[in-house]
């Protein structure tokens, strides 16, 4: 091959490489610019959202009626003796002879709701 052709071929390759680099560099710059633009838009949208949220919270606090607390529950009544304990006491009184059989039966029926 003559030298002139080699030079032309080299120039074509070099020109193509330079053209590719320019295109790639431009694409990179455009991509960076777009990302920066989108980030700014996102930040502005987030700031608007935050302001609207804070305003809504402030409005809700101002318009809400004061919260009334429920009165505390009444103190629990002292527990009544359970039925078994009362029946045991009645049985002990009957065994000691303090209660008759009829009195014991009447009290037992009253406790059991019979």
């Amino acid at each position: 091959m003559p030298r002139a052709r080699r030079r032309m071929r080299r120039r074509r390759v070099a020109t193509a490489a330079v053209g590719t680099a320019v295109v790639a560099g431009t694409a990179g710059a455009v991509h960076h610019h777009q990302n920066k633009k989108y980030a700014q838009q996102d930040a502005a949208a987030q700031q608007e959202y935050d302001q609207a949220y804070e305003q809504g919270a402030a409005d809700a606090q101002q318009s809400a009626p004061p919260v009334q607390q429920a009165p505390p529950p009444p103190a629990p009544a002292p527990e009544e003796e359970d039925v078994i304990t009362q029946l045991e006491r009645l049985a002990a009184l009957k065994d000691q002879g303090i209660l008759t059989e009829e009195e014991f039966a009447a009290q037992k029926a009253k406790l059991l709701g019979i």
Side-chain angles (χ1 to χ4, degrees):
M1 258 194 198
R3 285 186 162 194
R5 278 189 150 172
R6 281 190 206 162
R7 282 187 195 155
M8 289 294 273
R9 189 176 286 172
R10 287 183 191 162
R11 284 185 187 164
R12 284 187 212 157
V13 171
T15 303
V18 168
T20 303
V22 168
V23 169
T26 303
V30 168
H31 180 70
H32 175 73
H33 176 73
Q34 285 177 335
N35 284 343
K36 191 174 174 182
K37 178 181 171 183
Y38 295 148
Q40 288 173 346
Q41 289 174 348
D42 289 345
Q46 182 66 40
Q47 187 176 15
E48 287 178 25
Y49 174 79
D50 290 343
Q51 287 175 348
Y53 179 79
E54 290 172 4
Q55 183 64 40
D59 290 346
Q61 285 180 351
Q62 289 175 356
S63 65
V67 177
Q68 294 180 354
Q69 294 182 349
E79 292 186 27
E80 296 179 15
E81 294 181 42
D82 61 315
V83 176
I84 295 175
T85 305
Q86 290 180 354
L87 286 174
E88 288 174 351
R89 287 185 183 168
L90 287 173
L93 291 173
K94 183 185 93 165
D95 292 341
Q96 294 172 2
I98 298 173
L99 290 178
T100 65
E101 187 66 38
E102 293 81 25
E103 292 172 330
F104 174 76
Q107 292 297 322
K108 180 173 133 183
K110 187 189 292 185
L111 286 175
L112 296 175
I114 298 176

